[in-house]
Structures are given as C-alpha cells and as structure tokens.
Amino acid sequence: MHLSNQSPIFLCGTSRSGTSVVQAAIEKAPGWSLTGETHYFDDLRVRLEGSAGRVLSPDQYQTAERYFRALTHRPYGHGGDAERGWLPEGALRDEVGSETLTADSLFLAYNRLYARRRGASCWGEKTPRHVFRIDDILGLVPDARVIVMLRDPRAVVASYRDWKATGGLRIDQGYEAALEDESARARSSYHPITIVMLWKAAWNAAVRARAIHGAERVRIQRYEETVLDPETHLGKLFDWLGIERPEDYVDVPVRNSSSDAYQDRGGFQ
C-alpha cells in the first residue's frame, strides 16, 4: 500500500492519553486539520446497522445529516443542535456530489468540509474510542495512517477521575448545563477497574491492528515519551507521517487537560 504525505490521519487511543495535544501539534503543520471527535465508527455507523456502504433512505440520510451538522455546533456528547452549527442543510449532499450517497460518503465529505473551513487541504480525525474500529477505518480509507496514543494506565485512571471542563470551548446559552451533564456522566461512570479493563482492551486492539495492517499504517505513540521529550518523539511521529516538522511544533495549546486550565500555548513545555 502506497502512503503519501497527504494520506488522512486518524488519531485514537486510550482515553485521557494526550490525543488533544498531539492533534494540536499535527495542526501546526501547514495545510493540516483534524476534525474533533465524531465517534462516527462507534456510534452513527453502528446505529445504521450495515447501511454505511449502502445508499441511504431519506430517513437515514436525515439522521446522518443532522448528526454531522450537530457536531458543528458543539462537540460530540455536548447536546449539539444541527440548526445552530455552521454546516447548512444540503451541504454534505452537495459535497458528495455524484458519488453514492452513503453514510461513509457523508463522513468523508464532513471531514473535507471541516478541513476546508479551516483553510486546510489535508484532513484527519480524532476520536479516542476509534481505537476499537481500526479495521473499519482502514477498510474505508485504505491509505490512512492511524496513530494510537497509549498512556500508563495508572495515569489514565487519575486523569479520568480528575477531569472537568477547563476552558477553551465556545460557550453559548445553555452550554454550562451540558458541560455539567458531561462532568456528571464522567463521575458516575468512573471506576478504576472498569477503566483499566478498557485500557487493556485498547492496548490489545492497538497491538492487533499493528500486527494485521503493519507498522507503516498503525503507529503506537507513547504519551510519557512524547511529553518528556517532545522534540524527539513528536519529531519521529512527523517523520513517520511523512510531514515536514513544523516550526514550534512543541508549543501547542493546553486543552482538555484534567489538571491545567486552557492555555493558548505551552502544551509540551
């Protein structure tokens, strides 16, 4: 499989393992943008039950279109409203054009539109839970590269326990309640044993995917190495991606941290 330096990037991994800060580093590269969490492969694609590669019925199309449009209002799981985002009705259909109108084609169109809105020509997507859907990802986008972030499970447990919204989001009317609901959900679902079991499953999924698809398509990126020596280990990541190392790629925003408030810079410093 030939991989170009413009092949889509999928960033996934265990929860609370640095996907956000690595996303910010990749987006330092000119022409690159990674879509925020879509959960497409573990939510909408599953709900459509085999319809991802088939022509959508009118009702299925409406469900899929509203799903993506809501993501342009608020992040996944935060109560987004399709009518209040930036993506107008019909834009996905127009982007798909003469291609078959399937859920998969809408997903690809959404990512292209998201990147284009940000002035980027190359796109990627970041959803941690997609670590369990790597076969599906590479089945749909055979030339993609998949980065799997892995972190010490003890740190994952602590980060999950301490997570709360720390800023950096566009807060509109009623958003505070949605954030509190998300925080309450995280608190109610917190249990060290559950989190460690999920971590083990994610690790097994990553190792299996690398063995099946090859190290040129699936890369396991260690959080601790990346944070302790970002110039070396982020540099190696850019080399693997075939992307020229951007200037100041270690000076990225601090976002979605469980311990630090949002900051415009200093994520690896």
Side-chain angles (χ1 to χ4, degrees):
M1 174 64 64
H2 173 70
L3 303 177
S4 76
N5 60 3
Q6 294 185 338
S7 300
I9 297 168
F10 287 85
L11 181 55
C12 60
T14 55
S15 296
R16 314 303 309 153
S17 295
T19 53
S20 292
V21 73
V22 170
Q23 174 187 358
I26 294 171
E27 290 181 331
K28 283 275 189 173
W32 276 95
S33 173
L34 271 64
T35 311
E37 298 186 23
T38 68
H39 287 262
Y40 170 68
F41 289 96
D42 69 302
D43 185 342
L44 181 64
R45 204 176 199 249
V46 175
R47 286 195 281 126
L48 289 175
E49 295 186 272
S51 298
R54 301 175 184 173
V55 176
L56 297 173
S57 69
D59 286 345
Q60 289 173 330
Y61 172 80
Q62 185 177 50
T63 295
E65 183 186 51
R66 292 188 65 83
Y67 181 94
F68 291 115
R69 291 180 65 210
L71 293 176
T72 69
H73 175 225
R74 293 179 184 168
Y76 178 88
H78 288 202
D81 182 346
E83 302 303 325
R84 299 175 65 186
W86 54 260
L87 187 64
E89 188 174 358
L92 288 172
R93 184 188 296 272
D94 292 343
E95 177 65 19
V96 171
S98 60
E99 299 175 33
T100 304
L101 197 63
T102 66
D104 283 345
S105 68
L106 291 181
F107 169 74
L108 297 175
Y110 172 70
N111 283 284
R112 293 194 301 265
L113 288 170
Y114 184 96
R116 198 176 304 150
R117 178 179 171 83
R118 303 183 72 195
S121 56
C122 304
W123 66 269
E125 193 267 3
K126 184 211 81 165
T127 299
R129 279 212 310 256
H130 281 169
V131 66
F132 300 113
R133 304 289 177 174
I134 295 175
D135 290 349
D136 293 336
I137 290 170
L138 293 176
L140 176 61
V141 191
D143 65 335
R145 289 180 175 86
V146 180
I147 304 165
V148 182
M149 294 297 300
L150 290 176
R151 185 181 188 180
D152 187 311
R154 295 167 295 184
V156 170
V157 169
S159 182
Y160 197 99
R161 177 196 63 202
D162 296 338
W163 181 85
K164 58 183 181 299
T166 56
L169 296 168
R170 301 186 308 274
I171 304 296
D172 58 16
Q173 186 177 4
Y175 203 169
E176 292 85 353
L179 289 174
E180 179 53 38
D181 287 344
E182 178 69 6
S183 295
R185 182 202 61 78
R187 290 193 299 270
S188 65
S189 62
Y190 170 77
H191 194 288
I193 294 177
T194 301
I195 296 169
V196 169
M197 290 178 66
L198 286 170
W199 184 95
K200 183 178 180 180
W203 163 259
N204 288 337
V207 171
R208 172 188 172 278
R210 185 175 61 179
I212 291 174
H213 300 288
E216 74 280 3
R217 299 174 75 190
V218 179
R219 178 182 178 86
I220 295 175
Q221 186 81 9
R222 303 279 188 163
Y223 172 85
E224 286 78 10
E225 291 179 340
T226 307
V227 170
L228 291 174
D229 188 359
E231 291 190 1
T232 296
H233 293 285
L234 273 179
K236 289 180 179 179
L237 175 61
F238 279 109
D239 294 344
W240 179 78
L241 291 170
I243 301 173
E244 184 176 351
R245 301 183 185 189
E247 186 176 352
D248 296 330
Y249 60 89
V250 301
D251 190 11
V252 299
V254 178
R255 59 190 187 191
N256 204 30
S257 170
S258 60
S259 57
D260 299 317
Y262 175 87
Q263 300 175 51
D264 289 332
R265 56 192 306 173
F268 286 106
Q269 299 176 344

